[in-house]
Amino acid sequence: MKKTIRFTLNGQAVAVKAESHQMLLEVLRDTLHLTGTKYGCGEGECGACTVLVDGASVDSCIYPVFEIEGRKVTTIEGLVGERNQLHPLQKSFVENGGIQCGFCTPGMIMSAKALLDQNPHPGPEEIRQGISGNLCRCTGYVQIVESIARVAEKESANE
Amino acid sequence: MSELQFIGKNHSRPDGPDKAAGKALYIHDLVRPGMLYGKIKFSEYAHAAIKHIDTSRAEKLPGVRAVITAYNTPEIRIGFIKDNFALKKDKVRQFRDEVAAVAAVDPETAAEAVDLIEVEYEELPGVFSPDEALRADAPLIHEFDSRGRPKKDNLVPVPWNFTAGDVEKAKQLSAVVVEDDFDTPLVQQSCMGTAGCIAEFDLMNNLLIHTKTQIPFLAQNDFNAALTAMGLKGRSTRVIVPAIGGSFGSGLDTHAYEYIAILLAYTTGKPVKIVFNRHEEFTALSPRQATRTHIIQGCDANGRLTFRDVRMVLDNGAYTSWGATTPSVMMLPISSIYRVPNVFYQTTIVYTNNTYCQAMRGYGNPQAAWAIESNMDQLAEKAGIDPYEFRMINANVPNETTPMGLNITTCGFSDCLQSVARELDWREKRGKGRSRARGVGMASLFHVGGAARVYRSDGTGVIMKLDDFGNVSISSGGIEMGQGFTAALTAATAEALGVSPDRVTVITGDTAICPWDVGTHASRGAFTACNAAILAADKARQKIFELAAEHFMARVSANLERRMKKQQGFQAPNLDAVGNPTASDFDLRQNFVFLKDRPDDPLLRVPLDELLREAHYRQQGTIIVTEAFYDPCHEMLDPKTCRGNISAAYVFGVQGAEVEVDEETGKVTVLKFAAAHDVGKVLNPQTLKGQIYGAIVQGLGYALCEEYKAHRGKNLNPNFLDYKILSAPDVDFPIHVECIETDDRQGPFGAKGVGEPGLVPTAPAIANAVYDAVGVRIKSLPITPEKVLAALRERKNKIAKEAEAAKGGSNVR
Ligand code: FES
Ligand code: FES
């Protein structure tokens, strides 16, 4: 049975009709046409579908959409500012080689955002832990970790 | 060439921002108007006769638009030797065989309909290893070959043999000889973005297919053949490749699912999309072949290699892909890594009821390197020579022709060996960490670096188009799949033409727009396309300079006049001294056309766009579009002797690791990793290092944990929980990468191919380090804790027994 669910998506109030068995990922991609969030496994094993729910990173492919009622959801599209201004993390991934095929990238950046929001100055070990749920087959993670570390460094410099 | 402006410098990849923003469109993200969703019914047996297929319940399900089987569609033969079919008739030969498919209005309905299809089978005895398949009484997997002739055995009719010198004689004359067996498992490409396509027909019955492939033009050829089989001979195919979420060889063949989408689209008259879920990606795509290698090598008293004898058995699975040609690449290191005068190589490729295999990054080379490089350490030990020294003694040198006829031009092998030895502190550490179960090991690689002629043409075309605004679009038949093709081609175009990279747009992946390319494989993408771009840029520059000869001085005068009007007191210089320059007097750099001998005069230059408009907007005006087709100067292997200079350049590399082995658990921990690669010339340090880091980590997965597990042909680990690829916390050690520049004459700006090599020697480097650490040699990948533990136990027992025997011996005396 379809039910209307209301939540905040990338800062704006939305209402969508969804079935009780649907997962957040499907609703984001198929109903709301936000295809930046990726399907990689559908089983919570790869992190390609990572979004933020009330600031915490979750695997949207196994997050029942009914549980989203009243919450705040941020997707990769929500990080892009006005006039296509990339978020510092997105910029850093572009500049530091954190992207190859790009399929893991949105999920990776969302996990990185959750990490930096909680811990603005993570060490390399903490960064690796922070993205431990996000698989990448292309990069070997080296330049991804660098991309995140650079943002963390810059934020410390700005403080 | 004058000083390089963009090549060799870090440039962010042009495809980066869209990918970072989630805007890049992968096959999963594409929707076509009226699109239906296809789903495949796979076999439930590894080997069985199909008795009956009942599709009636599926057909009645609301929302279903078509249900197809081999019985209600034309036969479409697929694969490298056409031993496979889009849909299977009469019998299934592997668990992933496609027996039926549906198209429905949404994915859920399609899945439900597939479940409603009932197939009655009669199970047949199966064979699940080459050994079983080669027995005289083994059941036949294919009763007939693709030409309809009866088959007598399970051999794949693609033999590869190579002989040079006299191996038997060399064996007798060698001071030291070692032999052993080495195995590799099936491994899956594990692309983060799964496979998929959308097929549709226009009202003329021309096919448009968006699909995840590395070979749009060979795919076009394959799909055209399918159209012919469907009675649509002469109709055309347009292949469009969306953004690719990793491919690693999985896109080197066309797949049954693509043909099924085509059949469904034709049946329904609607676009049909088939996208694999992760389970299907694991079970219904083709992994890298499993191999068993028997290797014998020998050397003389001075440690010089005397011969190499390699016999390999490949488990092909039930059908044959281009993967059956991987021995042609395995043959490269087998015949030619290190200087070895006498070589024997033989491969037997065997049908089984296992999943059929395909090439994966490295194209057979990782399997070959696993055997050769493990065995090199064994031989060094028996000869009493340090394995690094042993490699140095035998390393290839520039300008030599190998027994296979490979012309090695540039060769940075020794530099690579030295780099890794230095980085690992080899002399201090090798053989000295046993007490702490620590060790260092290294392994080398040899691979094609200047494309590879495995197909009749190894060419690639580009079209370079300049617009009225000084922007350049370059369309190429190559594919961006994350490896940095777009970045490389952008920089090469900017450099070769004389414009800034932000003026360049690369267009790929559309057979209707881009000129032909054989495929993005063999680490050839940047090598061939950048070479083509240089040719096209030369033509464009020539045309630009001809236009300049006509219009440059007029533009300069006009600009000076305008400035005089605007700017009081501005005095235009006298242009008489300049005279009437001809085409050869001009140069183009940073988007400006100027006079070669007055490069610094700001008044004597014209923006490229201004010149282009001047030439365009007039009577009998002109625009600039150039094209080039680059086909490297190499040759196909002679089919009888397997000799020939298959690549225009070759790459070398060495990787090494320091590891620690936990003797309680058998776990191998990498403490440090070092890689040195002869890359010819670095085009873009950032993307190049990205390729090598990524490949190393894939190679470490191959070394330590990846294995596609199957029981009697059925995959047991079709998910990332059970099929482990490395995650970020696993890569917690420093990786040092050094690029050795050898500046190859054939390479664009001197560069050689780099896409695959980074994972070729990784596994044997680890195995050799494990041996140094704890004295056990693991001969089958992956090097799991269980295997290490078992080997440690065996070693302990052996040592105890020997001690016992020694004691017994002394008692007698
Ligand atoms: S798609 Fe959600 S974790 Fe893989
Ligand atoms: S960039 Fe391809 S999976 Fe991470």
Side-chain angles (χ1 to χ4, degrees):
Chain A
M1 218 214 19
K2 284 212 170 173
K3 198 175 118 180
T4 301
I5 302 150
R6 283 165 222 283
F7 61 104
T8 308
L9 176 60
N10 297 331
Q12 296 197 317
V14 291
V16 287
K17 285 201 166 62
E19 301 271 1
S20 60
H21 63 80
Q22 283 191 297
M23 296 296 155
L24 176 57
L25 175 66
E26 203 184 326
V27 172
L28 287 173
R29 287 184 56 86
D30 299 344
T31 315
L32 295 161
H33 306 296
L34 290 180
T35 56
T37 307
K38 300 299 177 200
Y39 162 92
C41 69
E43 294 175 344
E45 291 160 6
C46 76
C49 63
T50 307
V51 300
L52 305 187
V53 174
D54 291 341
S57 64
V58 304
D59 290 331
S60 64
C61 70
I62 49 170
Y63 199 98
V65 70
F66 277 19
E67 286 181 24
I68 218 71
E69 179 77 45
R71 294 180 191 264
K72 284 200 185 81
V73 177
T74 311
T75 69
I76 191 71
E77 290 90 349
L79 294 198
V80 182
E82 271 175 33
R83 298 201 195 96
N84 282 337
Q85 264 305 314
L86 293 183
H87 182 274
L89 268 167
Q90 292 173 315
K91 245 198 191 145
S92 185
F93 269 65
V94 172
E95 286 167 4
N96 295 298
I99 301 171
Q100 290 190 20
C101 82
F103 204 83
C104 70
T105 309
M108 205 59 94
I109 289 176
M110 296 317 286
S111 285
K113 170 138 186 15
L115 170 71
L116 294 189
D117 286 349
Q118 252 206 343
N119 173 6
H121 311 300
E125 198 54 51
E126 290 168 303
I127 293 177
R128 286 194 286 268
Q129 279 306 327
I131 55 167
S132 60
N134 295 78
L135 296 177
C136 172
R137 189 55 155 172
C138 301
T139 62
Y141 306 102
V142 179
Q143 289 165 318
I144 289 179
V145 173
E146 276 170 19
S147 301
I148 300 169
R150 289 281 162 80
V151 177
E153 282 161 23
K154 258 191 211 148
E155 283 186 3
S156 346
N158 290 345
E159 269 165 22
Chain B
M1 185 156 309
S2 55
E3 197 192 318
L4 297 173
Q5 296 194 286
F6 312 113
I7 294 295
K9 310 209 165 80
N10 276 336
H11 286 280
S12 305
R13 49 172 67 231
D15 45 323
D18 275 7
K19 286 175 174 175
K23 282 199 173 152
L25 295 177
Y26 301 83
I27 190 69
H28 319 76
D29 309 323
L30 299 182
V31 178
R32 304 286 297 168
M35 188 174 87
L36 301 173
Y37 294 82
K39 186 91 180 162
I40 296 168
K41 172 93 175 167
F42 294 102
S43 168
E44 288 142 75
Y45 291 90
H47 200 192
I50 300 173
K51 289 284 148 198
H52 182 67
I53 306 179
D54 182 357
T55 55
S56 57
R57 287 174 65 209
E59 278 157 22
K60 281 185 206 122
L61 187 71
V64 169
R65 295 288 180 267
V67 183
I68 59 170
T69 67
Y71 299 93
N72 66 6
T73 53
E75 177 182 282
I76 298 179
R77 281 179 173 265
I78 63 177
F80 178 61
I81 54 170
K82 301 278 176 271
D83 58 1
N84 193 0
F85 306 86
L87 286 159
K88 300 345 181 228
K89 210 178 211 168
D90 304 330
K91 84 168 192 170
V92 290
R93 299 175 175 86
Q94 54 170 359
F95 266 100
R96 59 186 266 206
D97 265 349
E98 300 80 2
V99 290
V102 303
V105 291
D106 55 51
E108 295 72 34
T109 309
E112 203 183 329
V114 158
D115 286 341
L116 292 175
I117 298 171
E118 283 165 37
V119 187
E120 204 185 301
Y121 297 96
E122 183 184 309
E123 196 175 359
L124 299 168
V127 287
F128 301 101
S129 72
D131 284 350
E132 284 172 46
L134 290 174
R135 274 187 212 134
D137 60 347
L140 284 182
I141 291 155
H142 293 269
E143 288 80 7
F144 299 95
D145 71 8
S146 44
R147 292 207 211 138
R149 296 171 300 197
K151 267 186 74 67
K152 291 189 210 66
D153 54 34
N154 285 319
L155 289 175
V156 176
V158 187
W160 297 95
N161 298 305
F162 175 81
T163 317
D166 187 339
V167 166
E168 287 314 313
K169 196 166 144 208
K171 268 182 203 171
Q172 278 153 22
L173 295 177
S174 297
V176 187
V177 173
V178 290
E179 69 182 286
D180 222 323
D181 291 297
F182 294 92
D183 292 351
T184 62
L186 293 172
V187 289
Q188 220 265 342
Q189 290 83 356
S190 305
C191 311
M192 283 300 117
T194 57
C197 70
I198 304 171
E200 60 196 279
F201 284 87
D202 68 13
L203 271 290
M204 306 276 286
N205 283 333
N206 293 314
L207 170 66
L208 168 63
I209 183 164
H210 289 77
T211 190
K212 185 189 174 198
T213 183
Q214 292 170 244
I215 46 155
F217 291 89
L218 299 191
Q220 182 189 38
N221 191 37
D222 285 356
F223 297 148
N224 278 342
L227 294 184
T228 301
M230 290 161 68
L232 301 174
K233 190 172 162 77
R235 297 295 85 210
S236 70
T237 299
R238 179 178 184 185
V239 178
I240 296 182
V241 185
I244 288 186
S247 196
F248 312 114
S250 63
L252 284 183
D253 287 82
T254 48
H255 298 275
Y257 79 83
E258 292 169 303
Y259 297 93
I260 289 171
I262 291 169
L263 286 168
L264 287 169
Y266 189 59
T267 308
T268 59
K270 299 271 177 160
V272 174
K273 179 178 196 171
I274 296 182
V275 171
F276 279 174
N277 60 32
R278 181 55 59 186
H279 183 279
E280 290 166 328
E281 181 86 0
F282 269 110
T283 56
L285 277 188
S286 295
R288 180 192 280 155
Q289 303 103 333
T291 57
R292 159 151 289 200
T293 305
H294 185 73
I295 180 167
I296 320 175
Q297 293 188 98
C299 64
D300 65 17
N302 298 321
R304 290 196 183 279
L305 284 172
T306 45
F307 76 93
R308 183 178 292 144
D309 180 330
V310 177
R311 292 156 210 249
M312 259 190 190
V313 180
L314 270 61
D315 182 346
N316 191 61
Y319 303 102
T320 311
S321 75
W322 272 90
T325 67
T326 52
S328 66
V329 172
M330 296 174 175
M331 203 179 285
L332 266 69
I334 288 169
S335 71
S336 305
I337 191 169
Y338 308 110
R339 275 169 293 153
V340 52
N342 304 292
V343 180
F344 178 82
Y345 172 52
Q346 186 185 60
T347 324
T348 313
I349 312 181
V350 188
Y351 282 120
T352 64
N353 292 111
N354 293 324
T355 185
Y356 83 86
C357 296
Q358 200 181 8
M360 183 176 156
R361 195 177 197 175
Y363 216 80
N365 203 334
Q367 295 98 308
W370 169 240
I372 297 170
E373 290 297 314
S374 296
N375 191 245
M376 281 293 284
D377 264 37
Q378 292 177 314
L379 185 59
E381 185 180 33
K382 199 163 172 196
I385 304 173
D386 173 90
Y388 159 67
E389 297 296 343
F390 188 55
R391 287 180 170 83
M392 283 295 282
I393 293 170
N394 289 289
N396 305 77
V397 294
N399 304 315
E400 67 178 18
T401 301
T402 78
M404 193 180 156
L406 311 178
N407 292 330
I408 294 174
T409 49
T410 50
C411 167
F413 200 174
S414 300
D415 290 343
C416 292
L417 282 162
Q418 284 161 2
S419 163
V420 168
R422 195 168 48 238
E423 207 44 51
L424 290 181
D425 220 348
W426 186 267
R427 279 177 220 289
E428 291 307 309
K429 289 195 169 154
R430 173 74 192 185
K432 305 204 175 80
R434 215 31 92 80
S435 58
R436 293 182 300 152
R438 283 191 178 194
V440 290
M442 64 166 66
S444 314
L445 84 98
F446 173 67
H447 198 62
V448 294
R453 194 171 294 267
V454 287
Y455 199 73
R456 282 164 296 158
S457 171
D458 195 28
T460 199
V462 297
I463 297 172
M464 196 174 277
K465 191 160 93 53
L466 280 65
D467 70 13
D468 295 335
F469 314 99
N471 292 322
V472 185
S473 64
I474 176 156
S475 44
S476 151
I479 292 295
E480 172 67 55
M481 46 192 179
Q483 83 280 37
F485 181 79
T486 315
L489 193 50
T490 300
T493 302
E495 190 78 62
L497 191 59
V499 300
S500 50
D502 61 350
R503 293 299 181 102
V504 179
T505 304
V506 171
I507 295 165
T508 60
D510 186 339
T511 56
I513 295 171
C514 307
W516 195 89
D517 171 78
V518 72
T520 301
H521 62 227
S523 306
R524 70 185 283 286
F527 181 90
T528 53
C530 294
N531 264 328
I534 292 170
L535 296 176
D538 281 349
K539 288 189 191 172
R541 283 169 68 89
Q542 189 51 41
K543 288 193 179 182
I544 291 165
F545 299 151
E546 280 161 19
L547 295 178
E550 239 177 284
H551 308 298
F552 181 85
M553 290 312 290
R555 284 314 312 163
V556 168
S557 308
N559 289 343
L560 288 175
E561 245 164 63
R562 197 169 31 175
R563 186 145 166 209
M564 280 201 291
K565 263 191 212 144
K566 267 198 190 155
Q567 194 181 334
Q568 279 220 331
F570 174 73
Q571 262 308 318
N574 187 345
L575 293 179
D576 292 349
V578 180
N580 283 325
T582 61
S584 60
D585 297 327
F586 291 101
D587 198 355
L588 166 61
R589 259 186 166 208
Q590 294 280 26
N591 315 316
F592 281 96
V593 178
F594 58 93
L595 285 163
K596 260 187 217 164
D597 57 358
R598 297 183 187 228
D600 302 318
D601 191 337
L603 299 178
L604 272 173
R605 57 180 204 175
V606 173
L608 175 62
D609 58 318
E610 194 180 309
L611 185 74
L612 292 172
R613 284 194 299 271
E614 181 77 25
H616 180 183
Y617 295 108
R618 54 173 53 244
Q619 272 189 30
Q620 278 83 50
T622 187
I623 59 167
I624 295 186
V625 181
T626 64
E627 50 66 42
F629 187 70
Y630 169 77
D631 196 4
C633 63
H634 50 27
E635 57 201 21
M636 270 190 112
L637 298 185
D638 180 306
K640 286 211 183 70
T641 64
C642 286
R643 277 170 170 74
N645 190 34
I646 193 173
S647 182
Y650 299 89
V651 293
F652 295 84
V654 177
Q655 296 186 346
E658 181 178 8
V659 304
E660 185 176 71
V661 180
D662 183 330
E663 290 175 287
E664 300 294 309
T665 62
K667 187 175 182 314
V668 176
T669 303
V670 180
L671 303 173
K672 176 168 189 172
F673 199 91
H677 289 263
D678 167 8
V679 300
K681 165 89 188 162
V682 178
L683 295 179
N684 181 335
Q686 184 183 80
T687 48
L688 173 52
K689 282 197 170 172
Q691 281 298 286
I692 297 177
Y693 289 137
I696 288 170
V697 172
Q698 274 184 13
L700 287 171
Y702 196 43
L704 295 170
C705 55
E706 287 185 37
E707 183 170 13
Y708 175 105
K709 294 196 179 114
H711 177 66
R712 298 184 68 76
K714 191 173 177 66
N715 178 261
L716 301 174
N717 55 346
N719 58 68
F720 284 129
L721 264 192
D722 300 313
Y723 185 99
K724 158 101 179 134
I725 67 170
L726 297 188
S727 64
D730 298 321
V731 189
D732 60 351
F733 44 85
I735 301 181
H736 181 269
V737 172
E738 181 165 350
C739 296
I740 308 284
E741 296 196 315
T742 49
D743 199 4
D744 198 279
R745 177 161 45 88
Q746 296 294 332
F749 309 101
K752 303 194 267 193
V754 295
E756 300 166 288
L759 57 55
V760 170
T762 318
I766 297 291
N768 290 341
V770 168
Y771 185 82
D772 187 44
V774 290
V776 299
R777 177 148 301 280
I778 306 301
K779 299 171 194 172
S780 79
L781 289 175
I783 306 169
T784 57
E786 297 76 39
K787 285 182 198 167
V788 174
L789 213 51
L792 282 171
R793 280 207 196 100
E794 199 184 308
R795 181 165 182 269
K796 232 191 197 162
N797 289 343
K798 202 174 142 204
I799 292 173
K801 257 191 212 146
E802 279 167 8
E804 193 68 24
K807 243 208 265 160
S810 60
N811 283 348
V812 172
R813 214 182 308 150

